[in-house]
Amino acid sequence: MPGHPCSFSFCVFFWGSLPEGAARLENKLEDIDFYILAVGLVLIVSGIAFAVARFIGEARAQSKFRNIVIEARGLRDDDGNSLADTVAKHQKGSVVPILLDLRNRLDGQVIAPERALSEIVSMHRSVLQHQKDGDRADLTTIYGGLTSVPYTFLTGVLLDDEGSIITYDWDRAQETWRKIEGPDDGAQFHVDGVEAIGGAPEVVLATAFSYPIQDDDMATTFDLPKVRLTLDGMSSDGHWSQQKQNRLAQEFLEVAKNLAGKGVKRLHLVLAAPNSVVFTFGRRYDKRNLPEIVVYQYQRGEPIAYPWGVSMPVAGLDQVKVVECSEQGA
């Protein structure tokens, strides 16, 4: 009898049939087998149903999350790896790419400052429009770029009120986008020149994060008192910590606040730092309580090392404008 335990098969072989008690036991075991099979089938079906329901729920949750990815291009001629593609591998939800291209395709140079400013303002409008299309709780804003210092600082100023932003930077060694998320190494700014400004209403604020800022270069453009912020152990690869960037941005703001308390009305910012640092400093700059600020473009080897800057929309100024410089004429 297929399906009988060995002992039942032995009984059939020895006696020719099962004793009545053994037969009843066999029937009970068959009933138990049926119930076990039924319960097993129910558990399997329930498991499949649960897995399908969970998959559908996760798919729906995934579909409602959106990542607004702002990629600013200006210092690399090739398109390289897309920031949106990099983000899609690490962030859940859909990706909404916003490309801010500040290059002149005709000659590979950065486009004229006036046109760049209008592009940056348009980008900000686009971000605001996308934010209106859904629940802010389901929205993540991500920024990464390689653009000139004035453009990057302005981008940070405009995006100041857009909540938490995940920042990426271009890793030149690995030639890929990399998230700013490393540990804080504790490096601090050394501040020099604050006590020597007297009652000057305008001051040059030379902030060296990754490279030194030369006095000779500043002398080609500015005839103003100078305050220096110089980072311990300057490095072009020491910016991979958002905690560090935020802390140094606060140190920067404290210096600006101190200068405002001394009567300074306008800062001329010369900043040597990686893109993500410039963006963070722009985001942290207090638009209401700190002095006006003009952020300058550096042109190495030119007769005027800082030929133009961008006046930021802070301190009651609504208009963004380009400030052209003549020799010692800022």
Side-chain angles (χ1 to χ4, degrees):
M1 287 184 180
H4 281 178
C6 292
S7 58
F8 293 147
S9 299
F10 175 79
C11 289
V12 171
F13 175 79
F14 187 79
W15 284 297
S17 64
L18 286 174
E20 181 179 352
R24 286 197 300 269
L25 178 59
E26 180 188 26
N27 291 334
K28 289 181 180 179
L29 290 176
E30 287 179 348
D31 290 340
I32 292 173
D33 288 343
F34 171 79
Y35 290 128
I36 292 174
L37 177 61
V39 171
L41 288 174
V42 169
L43 291 175
I44 292 172
V45 171
S46 299
I48 293 173
F50 176 77
V52 170
R54 182 176 179 180
F55 175 79
I56 293 173
E58 290 180 349
R60 288 176 177 173
Q62 181 90 346
S63 65
K64 73 177 182 178
F65 287 109
R66 292 184 303 137
N67 300 282
I68 298 179
V69 180
I70 306 163
E71 180 180 347
R73 298 176 183 170
L75 300 180
R76 289 168 52 213
D77 290 336
D78 64 293
D79 290 337
N81 297 329
S82 167
L83 177 59
D85 291 343
T86 300
V87 169
K89 299 175 183 177
H90 302 98
Q91 293 286 122
K92 64 180 179 180
S94 61
V95 171
V96 181
I98 297 178
L99 178 61
L100 178 60
D101 196 342
L102 304 181
R103 299 169 296 179
N104 184 341
R105 293 293 187 176
L106 296 177
D107 56 16
Q109 301 298 314
V110 176
I111 64 176
E114 293 82 2
R115 180 183 162 196
L117 299 189
S118 66
E119 295 279 355
I120 296 170
V121 172
S122 296
M123 172 276 300
H124 185 223
R125 292 198 194 100
S126 180
V127 171
L128 293 177
Q129 185 59 48
H130 282 295
Q131 290 177 341
K132 293 179 182 178
D133 295 338
D135 190 339
R136 290 289 290 266
D138 301 326
L139 183 68
T140 301
T141 304
I142 297 162
Y143 168 83
L146 277 177
T147 54
S148 299
V149 167
Y151 300 157
T152 305
F153 197 95
L154 174 60
T155 303
V157 168
L158 293 178
L159 294 175
D160 172 40
D161 298 324
E162 306 314 319
S164 178
I165 297 180
I166 298 173
T167 308
Y168 281 71
D169 213 332
W170 182 255
D171 189 325
R172 297 178 186 273
Q174 300 182 34
E175 296 188 344
T176 188
W177 292 105
R178 179 177 166 188
K179 187 177 179 181
I180 306 298
E181 58 181 354
D184 185 348
D185 62 11
Q188 296 181 332
F189 280 126
H190 289 292
V191 184
D192 298 300
V194 173
E195 302 304 325
I197 65 171
E202 299 189 37
V203 169
V204 176
L205 185 54
T207 305
F209 186 106
S210 52
Y211 294 98
I213 297 172
Q214 304 297 335
D215 286 328
D216 290 346
D217 287 334
M218 288 191 287
T220 66
T221 310
F222 306 105
D223 186 16
L224 295 169
K226 298 173 181 61
V227 174
R228 282 186 171 275
L229 276 71
T230 305
L231 186 65
D232 282 331
M234 280 184 292
S235 169
S236 59
D237 198 43
H239 60 289
W240 298 108
S241 166
Q242 192 63 61
Q243 182 181 359
K244 176 182 178 179
Q245 290 192 20
N246 293 342
R247 177 176 55 78
L248 292 175
Q250 187 60 41
E251 291 184 24
F252 171 79
L253 294 191
E254 291 301 323
V255 172
K257 192 185 303 182
N258 190 1
L259 293 174
K262 293 179 176 296
V264 174
K265 303 299 182 185
R266 177 185 261 197
L267 297 175
H268 299 268
L269 179 61
V270 175
L271 177 57
N275 187 274
S276 58
V277 174
V278 178
F279 177 73
T280 297
F281 279 31
R283 289 199 70 209
R284 298 295 185 270
Y285 196 83
D286 191 326
K287 292 187 284 191
R288 286 164 287 277
N289 301 313
L290 292 179
E292 297 176 22
I293 185 167
V294 181
V295 183
Y296 288 87
Q297 169 69 10
Y298 174 60
Q299 300 285 13
R300 183 177 181 180
E302 296 295 325
I304 301 175
Y306 300 95
W308 58 270
V310 174
S311 178
M312 300 292 157
V314 301
L317 300 178
D318 296 327
Q319 185 180 6
V320 182
K321 65 180 182 179
V322 177
V323 176
E324 300 285 350
C325 302
S326 58
E327 188 171 357
Q328 291 191 358

